[in-house]
Amino acid sequence: METAIGWVDVEGTERGIRRVHLPGAVPPRPAPGEGTEEVAHHLADASEQIRRYAAGEQEALAFVLDWDGVEPTHRHVLETLCAIAPYGQTVTYGELGRAAGVEDPRDIGAYMARNPLPLVVPCHRVVASDGLGGYGGGLELKRTLLELEGALPARLDLGVTI
């Protein structure tokens, strides 16, 4: 679907949303063919919420998730992130690691890089102790999302061209 932050692709199953692909991560694909009514409901619900979030009209994304294929420690780290980094706030890799019981902040970085549900599980809110850190959608998108949420001040357009 097209959103204010670009094209976002959502994959769902009968159990819920399984994957969210950020702008630039995958090319837009044709609308899905046959699927159950339940899958269609999950996709419609997630799509509407993501559109509203990207437009700055909704803070929390709360739809049914399908965690199939996410190993338990990874899921625990992702769920811990959701619990400690609400809309408009950030957490460092080290802070998230301590809260989730993971010693090495680099492990947290690896878990964030493999997050199958970006935006929903807000890995863009995890930052380095000395800056933004990395982001699968690119640093420009990370900055845009953090500005949208008010965690970073909006950049000024001074009308200066170089």
Side-chain angles (χ1 to χ4, degrees):
M1 80 201 106
E2 187 65 35
T3 73
I5 60 169
W7 186 268
V8 176
D9 189 47
V10 180
E11 296 176 27
T13 68
E14 289 183 356
R15 288 181 288 211
I17 299 303
R18 180 174 286 169
R19 294 225 180 294
V20 174
H21 299 279
L22 296 170
V26 294
R29 62 180 192 204
E34 295 297 315
T36 68
E37 194 171 306
E38 192 160 6
V39 173
H41 170 75
H42 290 310
L43 291 172
D45 184 34
S47 296
E48 180 59 25
Q49 288 189 49
I50 289 171
R51 275 192 198 100
R52 292 180 53 78
Y53 166 80
E57 300 168 355
Q58 180 172 335
E59 291 184 2
L61 296 173
F63 40 82
V64 178
L65 302 178
D66 178 355
W67 289 100
D68 190 41
V70 180
E71 62 95 11
T73 302
H74 189 188
R75 180 175 175 174
H76 171 70
V77 169
L78 297 176
E79 289 175 333
T80 300
L81 170 61
C82 292
I84 68 170
Y87 187 92
Q89 295 184 24
T90 60
V91 62
T92 67
Y93 293 97
E95 291 168 335
L96 177 55
R98 284 188 292 281
V102 175
E103 288 186 32
D104 191 340
R106 291 174 296 195
D107 291 340
I108 296 297
Y111 286 129
M112 295 303 103
R114 294 190 332 265
N115 176 10
L117 297 159
L119 302 180
V120 185
V121 176
C123 53
H124 62 277
R125 295 181 192 149
V126 182
V127 297
S129 60
D130 62 352
L132 286 180
Y135 190 58
L139 288 182
E140 185 61 29
L141 179 57
K142 184 172 191 170
R143 179 176 291 285
T144 297
L145 294 171
L146 292 174
E147 288 172 350
L148 172 74
E149 295 183 3
L152 286 178
R155 288 169 278 184
L156 297 175
D157 178 6
L158 301 175
V160 177
T161 56
I162 298 176

